[in-house]
Amino acid sequence: RRHEGTLPRQLALDGKFMDQPQFAQALEDIARFASSHSQADLVEIARTISLTSKGDFKSFEDELSGSVDFKFDVRVGATAGTAERKLSVPSTIDFNIPLIDGLDPVLITTKFKYRLPEATGAKVTLGIQIVDRVWLEDAAIAEAKAKLADATGLPVYVGEVK
């Protein structure tokens, strides 16, 4: 089974927030490579996630100095699924995708992120962020270099031509 195009799709999602339907469609395109959750569950979570927030406000006046400290504590809750089937919202999603076509798939861990609407009428935004992306890319280049050197018996150098 070929994985061409899967990594570029995942990289296109890395660190970007998008509205719920757009994110659900983008996630559906790569969800079959998820190893931590089923494809169907991931897509349903993305389509049905609902966020709630609750805040507590406190103030404290220091009688000695006259200063006033304010504290605002916000808690965000995330739920997904339907009344018949509740799903837990993951904090991370793992994928098995080759970083370079022809190499073995590697475990790519992503953080699942969501943001509350910032204004009335705004919508929830969702995204993923690849954990240790630079390290993953360096490891893939090193693996490709080693495989090429083994296959050809020639020295392989990695760098830029200026």
Side-chain angles (χ1 to χ4, degrees):
R1 173 164 109 184
R2 306 267 308 166
H3 299 276
E4 288 180 16
T6 304
L7 182 64
R9 285 185 193 141
Q10 188 174 34
L11 294 177
L13 290 175
D14 185 33
K16 293 184 178 75
F17 283 88
M18 51 187 75
D19 68 25
Q20 199 164 351
Q22 185 183 13
F23 178 78
Q25 181 60 54
L27 185 61
E28 186 174 9
D29 291 343
I30 62 170
R32 71 179 179 273
F33 299 104
S35 59
S36 58
H37 302 81
S38 77
Q39 177 179 357
D41 284 353
L42 283 178
V43 173
E44 187 173 350
I45 288 167
R47 287 190 174 135
T48 63
I49 190 170
S50 176
L51 302 178
T52 58
S53 66
K54 181 180 179 182
D56 293 321
F57 176 78
K58 295 179 185 177
S59 66
F60 172 76
E61 185 174 344
D62 185 343
E63 293 178 10
L64 293 175
S65 68
S67 67
V68 179
D69 292 330
F70 297 99
K71 180 180 179 186
F72 188 69
D73 183 29
V74 177
R75 290 176 300 285
V76 177
T79 58
T82 62
E84 300 82 33
R85 183 170 180 254
K86 294 291 181 200
L87 295 168
S88 62
V89 177
S91 58
T92 61
I93 304 170
D94 293 334
F95 295 90
N96 280 313
I97 301 172
L99 297 178
I100 298 175
D101 195 31
L103 298 182
D104 295 329
V106 297
L107 179 67
I108 299 174
T109 299
T110 63
K111 293 179 184 178
F112 180 53
K113 298 184 161 219
Y114 45 85
R115 287 188 183 155
L116 288 169
E118 294 181 8
T120 304
K123 300 190 184 228
V124 169
T125 55
L126 307 171
I128 59 172
Q129 182 177 9
I130 297 173
V131 176
D132 297 326
R133 178 175 172 173
V134 172
W135 179 86
L136 287 168
E137 292 169 345
D138 289 347
I141 291 169
E143 182 184 354
K145 176 184 169 187
K147 284 191 173 195
L148 187 56
D150 288 346
T152 63
L154 299 170
V156 176
Y157 300 97
V158 175
E160 295 180 24
V161 177
K162 293 187 178 196

